[in-house]
Amino acid sequence: MGDKTALVIFTPSGKRGNIPVGTPVLSAARQLGVDLDSVCGGRGICSKCQVTPGFGKFPKHGVTVAKGALSGWNAVEARYDEKRGLKEGRRLGCQACIQGDVVIDVPPGSQVHRQVVRKAATRRQITMDPATQLRYVEVREPDMHEPTGDLQRLCEALKRDWDISDPEASPAFLASLQHALRDGGWKATVAVWRDHRGGAPVLLDIWPGFFEGRLHGLAIDLGSTTISAHLCDLRDGQVLASSGVMNPQIRFGEDLMSRVSYAMMNPGGDAEMTREVREAIGQLAIELSDETDIPLRQIVEAVVVCNPVMHHLLLGIDPVELGQAPFALATSNAVNTHAADFGLASINPSANAYVLPCIAGHVGADCAAVALSEEPYKSEDLILICDVGTNAEILLGSKDRVLACSSPTGPAFEGAQISSGQRAAPGAIERVEIDPMTKKPRFQVIGSDLWSDEAGFAEATAVTGVTGICGSGIIEAVAEMRMAGLLDASGLIGSAEQTGSGLCVPDGRTHAYVIWDARDDGGPLIAVTQGDIRAIQLAKSALYAGARLLMDELEVERVDRIALAGAFGSHISPRHAMVLGMIPDCDPAKVRSVGNAAGTGARIALCDISARARIEAEVLRVQKVETAIEPRFQEHFVAANAIPHASDLFPHLPELPDVSFNAGGGRSADSPTGRRRRRRTQDPLLRP
């Protein structure tokens, strides 16, 4: 093969590199620091190194992957598949060898350090009135002199005892009806689904006699990066178990437009992505059922919230129209359907599914769920709600008026596109502090409560090690660098001479700040580079510009309070978010995390049928602001590149160091105009 190399890109980590042709995928993963498991030494025995190669055009990654990008199926893989089975499309990383440019997905089961899907259920009081409820009835026995069917007499009993009129019954229900009635001595318990729009009720399932069990439902938050599901008791709303996985569509592109491009450029690409996400949801349902020992038959409802692209792919709709103006949805209405229609055939085949309405072309059912959870339309004061992720959804308003927009923040907040970045997993740095005097860092990693300078840290992290830095960690690192005078307002990292810190080291023509250097012990070098700063600037500028655009629309300069939502938003420090300029200035006491608000909204819609009608009405009142065609968005975006901002004031922040690392120097980095802006208040909680 000579010196020929191929570009290898691993997802979901985003790590890439040029690897010699003929290299096994497992070896390539080790060379690039990719988290790919193996315990058998590459002999094709343990199956831990399973990977899924992607083929076709990947505009996001700038590659086209040919079918021959990996070596052909070999005897070891064939033997393993015969004995234990390989999922369709999977390869063994120790056997498949690189032959050309390729995109390779490492599924969760093949990762040594499993991703932490941070979408736990938030405690919430919810009104209980689920769409599906159990109804016990006693049915008249058949009579030769009154030739009526069992279904008709069951409906008669439901009307008499529960005022349920003219219900519909599926063939699956009819198939079990007669056995259930006779086994129960003409007494039965029926699961009845009600339509909040006034349509006919539906008979979902039937049990002989009085059924003492409970019905359950799934609240599913289908994000572009992660999928989470909460299994809820439909009697009291209790969350019995929660689980989450990385969205397997990441291998087609980390951001939404990359997936739309994949569908446009690869015939059948949309169907491929639909199949992947449906399988993932179905597997989540099975895992939750197994964890709680709740029979799948008793899971009778599923409520799904998702962004518009995920909405279309879940429902089997080509998302191409969402990739071009005017970003038309196939439907913005809520969708009632059978759960089996989008991958949940593994639960009760008659189970119902409800997808919340979308607000507009790029503001989806997940944003509607956030609105249902946080109710800005009832607020007396002005609230800004930011659901932060790969694509941020933003709501601003009060009881008088609510605005919404989406902003393409990209994957940097998730740790992607960062030199030492990774998704949240044990060993990832998630919190950072930098002493403003010594310029030395200390940090915490996922999986340990100890700081890196505390006794016992090495022992506490011996198993996971310190592996990289996740989204919340990079946010805190950049903000701390700004507060410690290592970074100027334009985003430039100073040299050792300029900052007085030997941890600021040359990195090509720029500099990097070293957080952790374990190379002497065979570990990684974890540093914040100038490229990392730029990626964070682009992401935070998009978020801030979206919020500022909504504020312009309402003609306000300040908001009364801010709610940070989403898996990532829940782990952002408000102090660091404001120093970085991710969010507008606000009293720190009025900035709070609201957890996975989209998931909470899904649970509310699952447990309370009236909430479905309520949010369907409210989304019609929400005014969508389209960032993609609004000229002021670009103006706000450019101004927000400064840290915290080129012109907007942040009076609630402490005085930030007046440093500038431009070659010419001379200007205060705190103000590109050369004038230092005064910050009017000194909050002790924000003092660096």
Side-chain angles (χ1 to χ4, degrees):
M1 296 291 179
D3 298 327
K4 186 177 180 182
T5 63
L7 176 62
V8 181
I9 301 165
F10 285 94
T11 62
S13 68
K15 293 182 178 180
R16 61 173 62 202
N18 291 305
I19 301 295
V21 167
T23 302
V25 170
L26 179 59
S27 298
R30 288 171 174 167
Q31 290 179 38
L32 296 175
V34 173
D35 190 16
L36 179 58
D37 201 359
S38 178
V39 297
C40 71
R43 292 177 294 169
I45 298 173
C46 71
S47 81
K48 299 292 186 181
C49 65
Q50 292 184 33
V51 296
T52 305
F55 302 102
K57 296 180 180 179
F58 293 84
K60 171 70 176 181
H61 302 303
V63 297
T64 297
V65 182
K67 286 293 183 182
L70 293 183
S71 59
W73 189 265
N74 68 15
V76 175
E77 290 174 298
R79 184 176 66 249
Y80 180 85
D81 184 46
E82 180 182 352
K83 291 182 177 297
R84 300 179 63 182
L86 270 176
K87 183 179 177 181
E88 184 179 356
R90 292 275 180 91
R91 299 292 303 274
L92 295 181
C94 62
Q95 302 299 313
C97 295
I98 307 298
Q99 300 295 321
D101 295 348
V102 65
V103 176
I104 299 173
D105 182 62
V106 181
S110 299
Q111 297 169 20
V112 180
H113 304 108
R114 299 295 180 86
Q115 305 284 355
V116 178
V117 179
R118 293 174 155 183
K119 290 191 173 181
T122 305
R123 293 181 64 87
R124 186 68 170 265
Q125 288 292 112
I126 299 175
T127 301
M128 292 305 301
D129 185 19
T132 303
Q133 297 181 350
L134 291 173
R135 296 294 183 239
Y136 172 76
V137 290
E138 297 183 1
V139 180
R140 285 191 302 114
E141 296 185 33
D143 186 333
M144 291 185 62
H145 301 290
E146 293 186 38
T148 57
D150 288 348
L151 176 63
Q152 284 65 46
R153 282 178 280 103
L154 171 66
C155 291
E156 174 188 279
L158 288 168
K159 174 63 176 176
R160 178 192 67 224
D161 297 340
W162 298 101
D163 197 27
I164 295 173
S165 302
D166 303 319
E168 297 178 354
S170 68
F173 180 88
L174 291 174
S176 57
L177 171 63
Q178 293 191 304
H179 288 298
L181 288 177
R182 284 157 180 80
D183 290 347
W186 303 102
K187 300 171 184 177
T189 305
V190 184
V192 184
W193 175 83
R194 296 173 294 153
D195 186 352
H196 63 281
R197 299 170 182 167
V202 178
L203 308 181
L204 298 183
D205 208 344
I206 185 170
W207 290 265
F210 180 74
F211 176 59
E212 296 183 358
R214 294 190 175 192
L215 298 183
H216 303 85
L218 289 171
I220 301 168
D221 179 6
L222 170 56
S224 54
T225 301
T226 58
I227 308 171
S228 67
H230 308 297
L231 180 61
C232 303
D233 188 320
L234 292 184
R235 185 178 299 180
D236 56 17
Q238 181 182 357
V239 178
L240 304 178
S242 299
S243 186
V245 294
M246 301 300 291
N247 189 328
Q249 294 178 345
I250 286 176
R251 69 185 179 92
F252 303 103
E254 289 180 317
D255 60 89
L256 298 175
M257 286 303 99
S258 295
R259 296 179 203 177
V260 173
S261 295
Y262 184 86
M264 293 174 68
M265 302 179 71
N266 296 277
D270 57 323
E272 188 178 3
M273 288 186 282
T274 293
R275 183 172 60 253
E276 289 277 1
V277 78
R278 288 180 174 179
E279 287 181 1
I281 290 176
Q283 186 59 41
L284 269 180
I286 293 172
E287 290 176 6
L288 290 170
S289 172
D290 290 344
E291 180 181 344
T292 56
D293 291 325
I294 291 171
L296 288 166
R297 182 182 177 187
Q298 293 179 25
I299 303 176
V300 296
E301 278 272 354
V303 169
V304 184
V305 300
C306 47
N307 61 57
V309 173
M310 291 298 97
H311 173 277
H312 278 38
L313 289 173
L314 174 67
L315 295 174
I317 303 169
D318 190 333
V320 167
E321 290 300 324
L322 294 173
Q324 54 199 359
F327 314 112
L329 289 155
T331 179
S332 57
N333 290 341
V335 175
N336 267 317
T337 184
H338 292 295
D341 291 343
F342 58 74
L344 290 177
S346 55
I347 67 174
N348 184 342
S350 298
N352 190 72
Y354 176 77
V355 184
L356 267 69
C358 292
I359 295 175
H362 281 298
V363 183
D366 50 356
C367 192
V370 171
L372 181 59
S373 172
E374 300 309 305
E375 299 182 320
Y377 44 82
K378 292 184 178 180
S379 178
E380 295 289 339
D381 55 4
L382 188 62
I383 180 173
L384 175 70
I385 306 170
C386 300
D387 191 352
V388 188
T390 305
N391 195 67
E393 284 80 33
I394 307 170
L395 290 161
L396 175 68
S398 64
K399 64 180 183 180
D400 299 321
R401 186 182 177 196
V402 177
L403 308 180
C405 74
S406 67
S407 197
T409 49
F413 287 157
E414 304 283 352
Q417 298 180 347
I418 303 300
S419 59
S420 298
Q422 66 170 85
R423 308 273 181 198
I429 295 173
E430 64 172 343
R431 294 199 62 197
V432 177
E433 290 182 354
I434 299 175
D435 188 306
M437 301 302 295
T438 66
K439 316 294 185 184
K440 292 182 179 179
R442 65 197 293 256
F443 57 83
Q444 287 182 321
V445 300
I446 296 174
S448 173
D449 293 330
L450 295 176
W451 286 89
S452 57
D453 58 353
E454 291 182 320
F457 176 80
E459 293 77 11
T461 59
V463 175
T464 64
V466 181
T467 56
I469 187 165
C470 67
S472 59
I474 192 66
I475 291 298
E476 294 199 5
V478 176
E480 288 282 328
M481 289 171 66
R482 180 73 182 93
M483 290 189 288
L486 301 167
L487 184 73
D488 69 19
S490 70
L492 282 177
I493 302 173
S495 65
E497 293 75 19
Q498 290 171 316
T499 63
S501 173
L503 295 174
C504 291
V505 299
D507 182 32
R509 299 176 61 184
T510 59
H511 295 88
Y513 176 71
V514 177
I515 294 178
W516 177 252
D517 188 354
R519 289 176 293 178
D520 290 344
D521 299 321
L525 170 68
I526 300 174
V528 179
T529 69
Q530 194 64 62
D532 298 339
I533 299 293
R534 184 57 179 158
I536 292 298
Q537 283 179 293
L538 294 174
K540 74 99 174 179
S541 297
L543 179 61
Y544 188 93
R548 187 71 223 189
L549 202 61
L550 299 187
M551 292 168 68
D552 287 351
E553 193 69 27
L554 289 183
E555 299 181 343
V556 298
E557 291 296 321
R558 293 284 180 270
V559 298
D560 296 315
R561 54 193 177 99
I562 298 176
L564 298 174
F568 175 67
S570 299
H571 290 81
I572 298 174
S573 155
R575 171 174 67 123
H576 293 99
M578 287 179 61
V579 169
L580 193 61
M582 288 177 61
I583 55 177
D585 181 75
C586 185
D587 179 351
K590 298 293 184 69
V591 182
R592 66 187 182 98
S593 167
V594 293
N596 181 20
T600 300
R603 286 164 48 212
I604 293 171
L606 175 68
C607 295
D608 181 11
I609 190 173
S610 67
R612 303 182 184 188
R614 186 163 66 250
I615 195 58
E616 287 177 19
E618 288 296 339
V619 296
L620 298 177
R621 298 177 54 233
V622 175
Q623 178 185 340
K624 167 70 188 314
V625 176
E626 183 53 68
T627 58
I629 59 173
E630 176 53 64
R632 289 174 298 168
F633 180 83
Q634 187 64 23
E635 297 173 16
H636 289 311
F637 180 87
V638 172
N641 267 226
I643 302 174
H645 199 274
S647 54
D648 286 356
L649 298 178
F650 282 74
H652 287 95
L653 283 183
E655 191 79 30
L656 296 177
D658 185 13
V659 294
S660 176
F661 303 130
N662 284 308
R667 284 187 175 180
S668 163
D670 210 40
S671 172
T673 65
R675 294 178 301 177
R676 186 173 180 178
R677 297 192 306 275
R678 293 189 59 83
R679 310 247 196 274
R680 292 192 294 272
T681 62
Q682 291 285 333
D683 189 321
L685 294 176
L686 296 179
R687 190 169 296 123

